[in-house]
Amino acid sequence: MSVMESILEQVKKRNPGEVEFHQAVEEVLQSLEPVIAKHPEFVESGLLERFVEPERQIMFRVPWLDDNGKTQVNRGFRVQFNSAIGPYKGGLRFHPSVYLGIIKFLGFEQILKNSLTGLPIGGGKGGSDFNPKGKSDNEIMKFCQSFMTELYRHIGHDLDVPAGDIGVGAREIGYLFGQYKRVKNAYEGGVLTGKGLTYGGSLARKQATGFGVIYFTNEMLKEHGLSYEGKTVVISGSGNVAIYACEKAQSLGAKVVAMCDSTGYIYDKDGIKLDTVKRIKEVERKRISEYVKDHPEAEYHDGQKGIWTIKCDVALPCATQNDIDVKEAQQLIDNGVTALGEGANMPCTNEAVNLFLDNKILVAPAKAANAGGVATSALEMSQNSMRLSWTFEEVDEKLHGIMVNIFKAAKDAAKEYGMEGNYVAGANIAGFLKVADAMMAQGLV
């Protein structure tokens, strides 16, 4: 049994049933084989065993009263995975699917993603199995206050800086920050990112992940003599990442023809009217099916997976993990897709990614392509520390530069280790080497 196989077996044994975490670790370890061959000191020092083991895992109960006066109890999580290059940084996810394995997979991915930004932030993630859908603002506030009443003990601007993720937007961050400020009796603006603009938030943070996906994939396309101009694009999801990926892709001349939510997808052959999607999702908080009421020429279909049967040049999965399996990957390949950019975290199974790579499809991996959100969160931390606010243009320019640098790092690492054009492996290697060097320098901790 090889070193990598041994470590993966140990991960599965120590973390039974946590299939998403197993998948994330397996995908990264596969990419690191040539790195370990060149750097035997990483094996001799036990670095890999430490790399796949979180520094700290926190679980706690979250009791709160609903609008009927009934007690509800959810479970809260924070996994502080790796602080070798900076304080833990990663979002909070509120969704009924959340359990420890999801949080660990996200935290593990976050280590490499944060490393790739070039900014001094470590990897962590948190959340709860609380479902904000269908809850009143008052219920969400009560939940967030109860959640933060425990979480505040474990975070800080030089320790661990959470942000938003699925189910946690500006409203939830506001309630969380208010409760943190109350229990700490201090205004520590840098303890959370994704804040409102009136209390320390950053311009362009809302757009950052979606814009970053397009900035990265555009660099990838240019590297191979392609561009977004005139390309047909399909985007899964209709949250922040999907909406702003759509906006930026359209600005570069692409025609986005499909978007979705968890219930179904819309297809508009003439191109998605983004203002309608923004109103439905950001203002009215309704289902994507409402789109066809304003645009009857468009089609709505039940079931999210069908979106991958639509013919496109570029696919951007921006919804959730494991959205694309081998079946969907083959459909995209058969329909002539040339490039795929992962806007969500691990939206493709490992088998699907391998199928894309085997068929010479350009793949922009999540930990590189969707790093724009956490990069801009780190820029928000910088502004908070300096008591400054940069303009939208300043932040967007910095974000664009970061994404270009991430692409270059992934490209160069892939080439150096004999996998030119494989940006999946390149991103894993480039992100890992920075963290590994820091861990080696800091000794056995």
Side-chain angles (χ1 to χ4, degrees), residues 94 130-145 164-179 192-197 199 206 240 281-285:
F94 292 171
F130 171 77
N131 187 3
K133 285 187 177 175
K135 304 291 193 303
S136 69
D137 285 354
N138 185 56
E139 287 174 324
I140 289 171
M141 181 181 71
K142 286 179 177 178
F143 172 82
C144 288
Q145 289 176 340
D165 191 72
I166 293 172
V168 179
R171 172 181 54 177
E172 289 76 16
I173 292 291
Y175 293 147
L176 290 164
F177 183 72
Q179 184 69 357
L192 286 169
T193 57
K195 300 184 296 296
L197 296 176
Y199 61 99
K206 185 178 184 180
N240 258 11
K281 286 298 180 179
E282 296 183 334
V283 180
E284 299 171 354
R285 298 179 187 270

Side-chain angles (χ1 to χ4, degrees), residues 155-224:
I155 63 175
H157 50 72
D158 290 323
L159 170 62
D160 185 355
V161 182
D165 191 72
I166 293 172
V168 179
R171 172 181 54 177
E172 289 76 16
I173 292 291
Y175 293 147
L176 290 164
F177 183 72
Q179 184 69 357
Y180 181 88
K181 186 164 63 74
R182 172 202 246 169
V183 296
K184 287 285 286 187
N185 192 32
Y187 197 102
E188 299 174 4
V191 73
L192 286 169
T193 57
K195 300 184 296 296
L197 296 176
T198 55
Y199 61 99
S202 175
L203 288 162
R205 174 60 189 91
K206 185 178 184 180
Q207 295 85 352
T209 309
F211 278 18
V213 171
I214 303 304
Y215 290 148
F216 184 96
T217 52
N218 195 42
E219 290 300 306
M220 181 176 73
L221 290 170
K222 286 194 297 183
E223 180 69 18
H224 296 268

Side-chain angles (χ1 to χ4, degrees), residues 57-75:
Q57 302 178 56
I58 301 153
M59 292 174 57
F60 52 95
R61 76 169 176 235
V62 188
W64 56 281
L65 286 177
D66 66 21
D67 287 344
N68 296 319
K70 185 179 178 183
T71 299
Q72 303 289 338
V73 180
N74 287 98
R75 181 173 277 182

Side-chain angles (χ1 to χ4, degrees), residues 228-422:
Y228 270 105
E229 182 68 37
K231 296 293 188 296
T232 299
V233 178
V234 166
I235 301 177
S236 69
S238 50
N240 258 11
V241 183
I243 285 173
Y244 293 101
C246 179
E247 183 175 298
K248 184 59 69 173
Q250 288 176 338
S251 77
L252 294 176
K255 182 165 79 167
V256 180
V257 296
M259 296 179 75
C260 71
D261 60 19
S262 58
T263 57
Y265 68 94
I266 53 169
Y267 171 65
D268 191 333
K269 68 179 189 307
D270 298 322
I272 293 291
K273 282 68 177 178
L274 193 57
D275 286 348
T276 304
V277 176
K278 285 183 177 181
R279 190 194 76 237
I280 292 167
K281 286 298 180 179
E282 296 183 334
V283 180
E284 299 171 354
R285 298 179 187 270
K286 290 182 178 177
R287 290 296 182 186
I288 198 78
S289 56
E290 297 288 317
Y291 182 90
V292 295
K293 293 181 180 178
D294 292 86
H295 306 285
E297 72 282 1
E299 302 170 17
Y300 171 75
H301 300 270
D302 286 327
Q304 178 200 343
K305 291 280 190 177
I307 197 170
W308 303 121
T309 63
I310 297 170
K311 186 177 175 61
C312 63
D313 302 302
V314 180
L316 301 174
C318 296
T320 190
Q321 67 270 2
N322 293 329
D323 192 11
I324 297 177
D325 202 343
V326 170
K327 177 186 173 185
E328 290 78 33
Q330 191 62 58
Q331 287 171 339
L332 285 163
I333 292 165
D334 291 344
N335 280 330
V337 73
T338 57
L340 179 131
E342 296 187 325
N345 291 303
M346 204 169 72
C348 301
T349 64
N350 293 348
E351 295 78 13
V353 171
N354 290 333
L355 185 61
F356 284 128
L357 295 175
D358 289 345
N359 283 272
K360 310 301 182 187
I361 308 302
L362 300 175
V363 178
K367 60 178 66 70
N370 80 4
V374 73
T376 306
S377 278
L379 296 178
E380 182 177 331
M381 291 166 65
S382 298
Q383 291 171 82
N384 293 155
S385 295
M386 294 186 290
R387 304 290 198 269
L388 291 175
S389 290
W390 295 325
T391 65
F392 185 100
E393 290 73 21
E394 286 176 305
V395 177
D396 191 32
E397 184 181 353
K398 293 177 193 297
L399 168 65
H400 184 257
I402 289 168
M403 299 311 297
V404 170
N405 287 338
I406 291 174
F407 175 76
K408 186 176 185 303
K411 180 183 78 169
D412 291 349
K415 185 175 182 180
E416 181 181 349
Y417 285 89
M419 292 179 281
E420 189 169 2
N422 184 340

